[in-house]
């Protein structure tokens, strides 16, 4: 095999050549993994090789030891550790380090990525201990190419989420900092090296906390970064402002001195830079300031409630209001009329910063923003009109609604009239601002005065141009949500506008040539109006179901007419939108959907039959069927023989985790609805659920839902669950052994809490099932393990409200199942009453949780009292 030719083949635009090259490489890796890596490393280090081939070699080497998917990453790392002998590893790493000094900068960067991937494997295992020293030496003494590539390698190494690697890097903080600060100094003559150093410094800031605690070292780092904001090279300026953003986020408590001495002035100057990327990052610095100060105020409110030490709050944003707000408003005027909807430019960065500023300092932004709005709202320059209306919307969250309400009432007629502005961008901004008002200050809108012209203006905008669809639809959704009134009310403020709104939404969704985004957004509005409809609008909702079902039925034959990916996406979006509206209709009509139920199921099953694999449509159909089963209760049984095959396929489809997860939840919904009528399907349900528990393909996050599903099945079929009891009990006992160490990541702690919730819900359902079937005695072998888990939950400070509530339920249910005090000794343990009291007296818990704890307390008293009565007798 000519390795150079094969590597070149991987870059070919010809699919057959590229696939053939990839197959040859895969075969070589399978035959001799160690030799394969060595050969590719030699191509990477080959100074005579074409740059594209060397880059391809580096990419292949990196992918051999790295993957974004965690299971594949661990597999790749194990292959490196187990299948490559030490001598070959040393040679491969040596070739990679050698390539850092290549005059071909692309090869050097590719080698840096490969080195970082190996470092992620070896550094946490205390291997390759000389790597950091070597990279530091390269930066201090090497050629410009070697310095640059070594700094890139350091950046890649530090840019990691791996907790073990993070801990390892903290041990090397001095070496990392020495290298990157040395390269980032203004004395560094090579701008590529300085740029790489600033970038690496940004990636390493999290690991140099010890150094940042030292005032002398901190001063030097800040000096280097501040000087870099003044570099002639825009790349270095960008990197420097990016560093300042991260420093503010990580070390806010150390920033007071630097804000006073330098950062106010540097960032204001940066915001006014002609270089857009520099200006955006300087603006984002103040967004970071606001985010930090918002978070600190939240933390301090909690600290005050708990009587703990508050965090220092320096009010940087508040002190800078007089200069920052006018600067942001001035930048917002510089819109680009050709900017796409998702373009992120300085004007949008300034708008986002102004939003955060309002949330951070509240009423202090109102006066300068109002002064700007008054001057520019009717300005002849559309950019100033647009900036004025956008600025008004930006400050709708943060200041007290009572402060904003009179201003909004005064501005509403003008804002509604701006929906007729001659410039589309201004119309769109007006619609978005109206949405912000509806979301945050709905009390300023008088339904009898403002609602009719407001809804009319938004629908006019919706019909006028697809570019306004998102803003108009979002505003209409907020109107529906805010003016729905009390749930179940016979009439609400939407009632008089409901029929006309539904008619217009149906028109816009059916209009020929409608933009996909417009149609999808309009269906979301339709959803919201249905969900928020009052009792007097239910007939309109029922009539709407006929229209939606007819439209959905018409999409079924379109599956056979698809000619490309875009057609498939368009059809799936349409089917998903229609099914979502149908879901909302069923949810709102509840049992009143019965006359339509046969047609609903027929069409939904036809759609399921027609869609291919990897489609997103079944997710929404399953949710709709779940809602229908809830509405029909055990009458849903007549559809089960037709629907069950689809449900079984989804339960067993581990290649589509989202669909599988939806199917697990649907089993819970359907069994709860059917009750004992679910029994004929439970053998198959249980087999699939148990297989999914054992799966190595599905993530651990599926397990809590599966365990909860066991409880729902048990509660549905009562004593018939005896068939599955021993197997499920063993699964629950095994799951109860899973614990999270204090130093593990938060997601592991959350998983353990969720798992325990699932176990408790399962036991709760099983206990009730056995009691209903008069088979309480079958629970006796498992009672001790249940109390053991309850005790583990009690002793673990990491527990959620729902876990506490489920635990209270199990304590009470078990006491009811054995009313003669058979297990009174367990209930006499002091910790049981302590656990109940902790739950009952927690003022932050919902009333139903506290009520469940009170009920559990009564059940415990009866259990203990019942035993004493038996003993006395």
């Amino acid at each position: 095999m000519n390795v150079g030719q094969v590597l070149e083949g991987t870059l070919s635009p010809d699919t057959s050549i590229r696939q053939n090259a990839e197959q040859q490489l895969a075969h070589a890796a399978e035959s001799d993994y160690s030799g394969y890596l060595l050969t590719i490393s030699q191509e990477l280090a080959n100074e005579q090789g074409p740059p594209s081939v060397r880059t391809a070699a580096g990419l292949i080497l990196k992918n051999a030891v790295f993957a974004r998917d965690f299971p594949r990453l661990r597999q790749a790392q194990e292959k490196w550790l187990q299948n490559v002998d030490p001598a070959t590893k040393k040679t491969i790493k040596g070739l990679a380090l050698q390539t850092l000094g290549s005059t071909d900068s692309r090869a050097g960067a590719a080698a840096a990525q490969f080195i970082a991937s190996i470092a992620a494997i070896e550094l946490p295992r205390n291997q390759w201990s000389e790597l950091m020293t070597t990279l530091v030496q390269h930066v201090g003494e090497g050629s410009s190419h070697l310095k640059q590539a070594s700094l890139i390698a350091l950046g890649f190494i530090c840019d990691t989420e791996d907790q073990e690697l993070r801990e390892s890097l903290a041990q090397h903080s001095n070496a990392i900092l020495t290298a990157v600060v040395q390269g980032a100094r203004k004395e560094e003559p090579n701008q590529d090296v300085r740029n790489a150093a600033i970038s690496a410094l940004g990636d390493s800031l999290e690991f140099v906390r010890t150094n940042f605690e030292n005032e002398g070292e901190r001063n030097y780092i800040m000096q280097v970064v501040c000087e870099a904001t003044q570099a002639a090279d825009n790349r270095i300026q960008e990197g420097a402002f990016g560093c300042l953003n991260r420093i503010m986020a990580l070390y806010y408590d150390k920033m007071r001195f630097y804000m006073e001495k330098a950062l106010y002035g540097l960032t204001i100057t940066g915001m006014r830079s002609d270089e857009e990327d520099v200006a955006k990052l300087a603006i984002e610095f103040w967004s970071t300031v606001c985010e930090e100060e918002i978070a600190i105020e939240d933390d301090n409110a909690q600290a005050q409630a708990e009587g703990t030490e508050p965090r220092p709050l320096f009010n940087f944003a508040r002190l800078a209001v007089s200069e920052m707000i006018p600067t942001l408003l001035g930048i917002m005027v510089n819109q680009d009329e050709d900017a796409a909807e998702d373009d992120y430019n300085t004007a949008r960065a300034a708008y986002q910063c102004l939003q955060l500023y309002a949330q951070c300092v509240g009423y202090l932004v109102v006066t300068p923003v109002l002064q700007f709005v008054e001057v520019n709202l009717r300005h002849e320059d559309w950019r100033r009109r647009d900036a004025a209306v956008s600025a008004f919307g930006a400050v709708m969250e943060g200041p007290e609604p009572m402060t904003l309400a009179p201003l909004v009432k005064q501005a509403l007629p003008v804002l509604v009239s701006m929906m007729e502005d001659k410039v589309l961008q201004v119309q769109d901004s007006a619609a978005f601002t109206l949405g912000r008002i509806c979301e945050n200050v709905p009390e300023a809108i008088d339904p009898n005065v403002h609602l009719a012209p407001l809804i009319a203006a938004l629908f006019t905008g919706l019909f006028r141009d697809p570019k306004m669809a998102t803003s108009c639809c979002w505003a209409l959704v907020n109107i529906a949500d805010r003016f729905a009134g009390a749930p179940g009310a016979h009439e609400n403020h939407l009632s008089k506008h409901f029929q006309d709104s539904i008619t217009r939404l149906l028109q816009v969704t059916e209009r020929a040539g409608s933009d996909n985004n417009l149609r999808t957004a309009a269906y979301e509005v339709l959803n919201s109006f249905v969900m928020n409809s009052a009792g007097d609008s239910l007939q309109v909702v029922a009539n709407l179901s006929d229209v939606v079902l007819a439209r959905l039925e018409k999409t079924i034959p379109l599956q056979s007419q698809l000619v490309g990916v875009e057609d498939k996406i368009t059809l799936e979006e349409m089917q998903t939108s229609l099914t979502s509206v149908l879901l909302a209709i069923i949810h709102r009509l509840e049992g009143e959907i019965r006359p339509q139920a046969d047609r609903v199921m027929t069409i939904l099953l036809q759609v399921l039959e027609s869609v291919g694999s990897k489609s997103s449509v079944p997710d929404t159909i399953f949710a709709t069927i779940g809602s229908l089963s809830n509405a029909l209760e055990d009458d849903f049984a007549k559809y089960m023989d037709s629907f069950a095959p689809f449900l079984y396929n989804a339960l067993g489809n581990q290649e589509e985790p989202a669909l599988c997860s939806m199917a697990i939840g649907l089993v819970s919904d359907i069994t709860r609805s059917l009750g004992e009528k679910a029994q004929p399907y439970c053998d198959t349900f249980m087999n699939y659920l148990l297989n999914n528990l054992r799966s190595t393909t599905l993530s651990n996050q599926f397990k809590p839902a599966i365990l909860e599903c066991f409880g729902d099945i048990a509660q549905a079929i009562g004593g018939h669950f005896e068939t599955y009891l021993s197997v499920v009990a063993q699964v629950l006992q095994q799951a109860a052994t899973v614990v999270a160490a204090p130093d593990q990541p938060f997601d592991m702690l959350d998983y353990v809490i969720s798992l325990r919730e699932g176990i408790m819900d399962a036991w709760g359902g099983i206990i009730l099932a056995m009691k209903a079937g008069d088979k309480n005695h079958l629970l006796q072998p498992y009672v001790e393990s249940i109390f053991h888990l309850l005790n583990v939950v009690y002793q673990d400070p990491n527990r959620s409200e729902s876990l506490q509530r489920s635990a209270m339920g199990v304590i009470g249910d078990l006491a009811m199942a054995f009313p003669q005090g058979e297990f009174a000794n367990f209930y006499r343990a002091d910790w049981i009453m302590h656990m109940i009291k902790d739950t009952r007296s927690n003022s932050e818990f919902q009333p139903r949780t506290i009520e469940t704890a009170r009920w559990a307390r009564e059940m415990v008293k009866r259990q203990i009292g019942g035993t004493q009565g038996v003993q006395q007798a």
Side-chain angles (χ1 to χ4, degrees):
M1 172 175 84
N2 185 319
V3 181
Q5 285 183 356
V6 173
L7 289 171
E8 198 160 0
T10 63
L11 305 171
S12 174
D14 188 306
T15 304
S16 61
I17 294 174
R18 189 171 64 253
Q19 289 178 345
N20 180 53
E22 289 168 352
Q23 287 170 3
Q24 289 187 66
L25 289 172
H27 177 72
E30 192 69 31
S31 302
D32 178 10
Y33 183 72
S34 184
Y36 160 76
L37 292 182
L38 180 59
T39 302
I40 303 297
S41 297
Q42 289 165 343
E43 287 299 319
L44 173 65
N46 180 9
E47 284 293 309
Q48 279 69 51
S52 58
V53 169
R54 298 181 73 187
T55 304
L59 183 62
I60 288 164
L61 286 167
K62 184 206 76 172
N63 290 339
V65 295
F66 174 81
R68 296 195 181 279
D69 179 63
F70 186 76
R72 288 181 55 227
L73 172 63
R74 284 291 179 249
Q75 186 180 21
Q77 291 181 336
E78 284 302 315
K79 283 185 78 173
W80 170 262
L81 292 167
Q82 303 297 332
N83 296 6
V84 185
D85 62 90
T88 305
K89 283 181 186 172
K90 185 176 180 180
T91 304
I92 291 170
K93 292 187 289 189
L95 289 167
L97 287 169
Q98 173 187 321
T99 308
L100 292 176
S102 173
T103 54
D104 176 2
S105 59
R106 287 171 56 190
Q113 282 189 300
F114 178 44
I115 287 167
S117 299
I118 299 175
I121 304 171
E122 297 199 349
L123 290 181
R125 294 170 174 82
N126 296 318
Q127 300 173 13
W128 210 2
S129 56
E130 70 277 13
L131 173 62
M132 290 302 183
T133 304
T134 301
L135 293 175
V136 172
Q137 287 176 346
H138 286 176
V139 175
E141 304 167 4
S143 65
S144 294
H145 289 292
L146 183 56
K147 285 182 179 181
Q148 182 183 354
S150 298
L151 287 163
I152 291 172
L154 283 168
F156 283 138
I157 292 168
C158 292
D159 185 16
T160 179
E161 297 297 324
D162 187 309
Q163 188 60 34
E164 292 179 348
L165 181 54
R166 283 168 172 264
E167 291 171 2
S168 175
L169 289 173
Q171 302 170 22
H172 299 281
S173 63
N174 285 332
I176 295 170
L177 198 59
T178 299
V180 296
V181 172
Q182 185 170 342
R185 294 176 309 160
K186 65 181 180 181
E187 290 79 13
E188 171 56 55
N190 188 298
Q191 298 306 293
D192 290 334
V193 170
R194 194 179 180 197
N195 179 48
I198 282 289
S199 178
L201 178 58
D203 290 325
S204 67
L205 283 167
E206 199 165 337
F207 309 107
V208 296
R209 188 169 294 275
T210 303
N211 306 82
F212 235 85
E213 292 294 330
N214 182 294
E215 185 180 358
E217 293 186 53
R218 183 172 68 247
N219 287 343
Y220 188 52
I221 295 168
M222 292 302 296
Q223 178 186 335
V224 168
V225 174
C226 289
E227 288 173 349
T229 65
Q230 306 302 298
D233 190 317
N234 289 327
R235 297 173 303 162
I236 297 170
Q237 286 188 43
E238 290 170 35
F241 280 114
C243 279
L244 289 178
N245 286 351
R246 293 210 67 189
I247 289 169
M248 179 57 72
L250 291 167
Y251 305 109
Y252 173 92
D253 61 316
K254 301 286 190 295
M255 288 296 104
R256 190 172 191 172
F257 171 78
Y258 308 103
M259 289 293 285
E260 292 172 353
K261 294 296 182 183
L263 297 185
Y264 276 113
L266 288 177
T267 51
I268 291 286
T269 302
M271 290 166 68
R272 293 169 177 157
S273 171
D274 293 333
E275 187 62 34
E276 184 169 73
D277 289 335
V278 172
K280 283 190 296 189
L281 284 161
I283 295 167
E284 286 170 16
F285 173 84
W286 283 97
S287 294
T288 303
V289 169
C290 292
E291 287 170 341
E292 282 301 304
E293 297 196 334
I294 292 167
I296 290 170
E297 289 199 346
D298 289 343
D299 291 347
N300 287 352
Q302 186 174 350
Q304 185 176 6
E306 296 172 354
T308 55
E309 188 72 23
R311 293 175 58 189
L313 176 64
F314 302 126
N315 291 312
F316 296 141
R318 189 177 295 266
L319 292 170
V321 162
S322 61
E323 189 161 9
M324 280 300 304
I325 301 303
T327 302
L328 290 171
L329 293 169
I331 294 169
M332 286 173 63
V333 172
N334 299 323
Q335 301 97 320
D336 179 0
E337 61 183 319
D338 298 321
E341 187 177 342
D342 56 351
D343 280 357
Y344 179 64
N345 51 33
T346 51
R348 287 182 180 164
Y351 174 82
Q352 290 178 7
C353 188
L354 182 59
Q355 276 188 310
L356 287 166
Y357 233 102
Q359 293 169 42
C360 184
V361 305
Y363 72 93
L364 291 178
V365 302
V366 173
T367 300
V369 167
L370 277 183
Q371 290 170 350
F372 178 82
V373 170
E374 288 169 359
V375 171
N376 293 288
L377 197 58
R378 298 186 182 279
H379 201 284
E380 61 181 21
D381 183 348
W382 74 265
R383 290 178 175 81
R384 290 192 168 274
R385 294 198 305 277
D386 186 66
V389 72
S390 297
F392 192 77
V395 300
M396 287 298 105
E397 182 182 2
E400 288 293 325
M402 290 180 62
T403 302
L404 294 173
L407 306 175
V408 170
K409 283 182 179 179
Q410 184 180 350
L412 261 175
V414 180
L415 292 171
V416 169
S417 71
M418 293 186 77
M419 291 288 294
E420 298 296 328
D421 194 277
K422 58 188 177 182
V423 177
L424 181 62
Q425 285 93 331
V426 180
Q427 296 171 25
D428 187 38
S429 296
F432 192 79
T433 293
L434 290 169
R436 293 271 296 171
I437 290 169
C438 295
E439 182 183 39
N440 297 294
V441 201
E443 54 267 45
I445 299 173
D446 184 336
N448 298 317
V449 175
H450 300 125
L451 210 51
L454 180 56
I455 291 174
L458 291 170
F459 272 116
T460 300
L462 190 57
F463 276 85
R464 183 181 293 133
D465 196 296
K467 291 181 180 178
M468 291 179 64
T470 302
S471 298
C472 290
C473 287
W474 182 66
L476 286 165
V477 165
N478 284 329
I479 287 174
D481 290 344
R482 295 300 183 273
F483 293 97
H490 176 69
E491 184 181 8
N492 62 24
H493 293 304
L494 298 177
S495 294
K496 64 177 70 174
H497 311 286
F498 193 81
Q499 175 68 75
D500 185 55
S501 296
I502 297 298
T503 301
R504 301 196 73 178
L505 288 165
L506 289 173
Q507 289 171 351
V508 78
T509 51
E510 189 72 350
R511 194 167 57 181
S514 283
D515 175 84
N516 282 354
N517 293 334
L518 167 59
R519 184 168 49 239
T520 300
Y523 275 126
E524 288 174 4
V525 179
L526 196 54
N527 246 339
S528 190
F529 268 77
V530 169
M531 290 296 290
N532 291 295
S533 57
D536 62 354
S537 302
L538 289 187
Q539 187 55 53
V540 179
V541 175
N543 295 339
L544 176 64
S545 65
D546 290 322
V547 179
V548 172
L549 285 168
R551 289 188 181 183
L552 187 57
E553 193 171 26
K554 285 180 183 178
T555 66
I556 297 169
L558 298 178
Q559 283 285 351
S560 60
Q561 302 170 25
L562 301 178
V563 294
V565 175
E566 286 190 12
D567 283 354
K568 181 176 185 291
I569 292 171
T570 299
L571 180 58
E572 286 195 356
E573 286 179 351
M574 191 184 305
Q575 289 180 327
T576 299
S577 294
L578 287 165
T579 310
S580 296
V581 176
L582 186 58
L583 170 60
I585 291 170
I586 295 169
H587 183 81
R588 186 66 189 89
L589 293 180
E590 296 179 319
E592 300 299 316
I593 195 66
R594 287 176 191 276
Q596 290 277 48
D598 285 357
R599 189 176 180 216
V600 169
M601 280 304 294
T602 299
I603 292 173
L604 291 179
L605 292 174
Q606 287 175 349
V607 176
L608 279 176
E609 187 71 51
S610 68
V611 298
S613 61
K614 308 294 184 184
S615 169
S616 60
V617 178
D619 289 18
T620 315
I621 291 179
F622 276 21
T624 306
I625 290 174
S627 185
L628 186 64
S629 74
N630 291 336
L632 300 181
E633 297 179 324
D634 62 352
D635 286 345
F636 186 80
K638 66 177 180 177
Y639 305 117
M640 277 302 294
D641 286 344
S642 299
F643 174 59
F646 295 104
L647 183 52
Y648 296 153
N649 286 338
L651 278 172
N653 188 352
Q654 297 183 7
E655 300 304 314
E656 295 185 63
L659 183 61
C660 185
S661 175
M662 181 67 74
I664 293 166
L666 187 50
V667 170
S668 287
D669 289 340
I670 287 175
T671 52
R672 282 196 299 264
S673 299
L674 296 183
E676 288 200 351
K677 290 183 180 180
Q679 190 184 346
Y681 310 98
C682 286
D683 279 356
T684 311
F685 288 159
M686 292 299 296
N687 283 332
Y688 277 114
L689 292 170
L690 289 167
N691 283 336
N692 287 342
L693 268 182
R694 292 189 287 264
S695 170
T696 56
T697 303
L698 298 175
S699 73
N700 282 339
Q701 305 307 321
F702 279 71
K703 292 181 180 177
I706 293 172
L707 300 183
E708 183 180 346
C709 192
F710 289 153
D712 290 326
I713 292 172
Q715 206 164 339
I717 64 176
H720 298 294
F721 196 79
E722 176 187 353
T723 307
Y724 318 112
L725 178 57
S726 61
V727 173
V728 171
Q730 186 178 357
V731 167
L732 297 177
Q733 288 170 332
Q734 185 177 357
T737 64
V738 177
V739 295
D743 58 344
Q744 285 189 294
F746 286 118
D747 56 356
M748 182 60 184
L749 296 175
D750 289 342
Y751 166 65
V752 171
I753 292 171
S754 298
L755 189 66
R756 289 173 180 169
E757 287 176 15
I759 298 169
M760 289 297 176
D761 289 338
W763 277 125
I766 291 168
I767 293 166
L768 292 173
M770 293 302 104
K771 183 174 183 295
D774 199 20
K775 297 179 179 180
N776 302 6
H777 63 281
L778 297 176
L779 294 168
Q780 290 183 358
Y782 312 113
V783 170
E784 185 174 355
S785 64
I786 294 172
F787 273 94
H788 176 73
L789 176 60
L790 287 167
N791 184 248
V792 169
V793 171
Y794 168 67
Q795 293 183 9
D796 192 337
N798 297 303
R799 52 181 187 258
S800 64
E801 179 182 354
S802 54
L803 175 55
Q804 290 285 85
R805 184 169 58 247
S806 296
M808 295 299 103
V810 168
I811 289 170
D813 290 337
L814 203 53
M816 284 185 66
F818 296 97
Q820 300 304 314
E822 293 92 327
F823 297 102
N825 286 336
F826 289 111
Y827 282 99
R828 286 200 184 96
D830 290 341
W831 62 266
I832 286 284
M833 276 303 187
H834 287 312
M835 186 179 192
I836 293 172
K837 182 180 179 182
D838 288 348
T839 308
R840 188 169 51 87
S841 60
N842 192 321
S843 60
E844 295 183 2
F845 284 177
Q846 296 176 19
R848 67 187 184 120
T849 303
I850 294 169
E851 189 56 40
T852 304
R854 287 174 179 158
W855 168 79
R857 180 183 61 174
E858 293 307 312
M859 292 304 102
V860 171
K861 285 181 178 179
R862 290 186 194 179
Q863 176 76 193
I864 297 172
T867 302
Q868 290 169 343
V870 169
Q871 289 172 341
Q872 289 165 2

